[in-house]
Amino acid sequence: MPWREISGFRNILAHNYLGAIDPQTVARVVAHDLPALQAAIQFLLSLPQE
């Protein structure tokens, strides 16, 4: 997973670094990238705790 890019995108959205947020970009990220992120997080949560 591109964790740095995910964190960077979150920072842009949360702090509005670039001015106006493009809703189409956000919708595209949610539609195309969120499922993979969800799967990765579910996998990490399924690992045995040490």
Side-chain angles (χ1 to χ4, degrees):
M1 290 287 10
W3 297 114
R4 282 191 196 270
E5 289 84 357
I6 292 167
S7 174
F9 187 67
R10 178 259 173 218
N11 289 339
I12 289 170
L13 292 176
H15 302 294
N16 200 10
Y17 290 140
L18 302 177
I21 299 298
D22 177 20
Q24 292 172 339
T25 300
V26 175
R28 187 174 58 247
V29 168
V30 168
H32 293 107
D33 299 324
L34 199 57
L37 177 60
Q38 181 181 9
I41 291 171
Q42 286 177 328
F43 171 75
L44 291 173
L45 290 173
S46 74
L47 295 175
Q49 299 290 320
E50 292 185 21

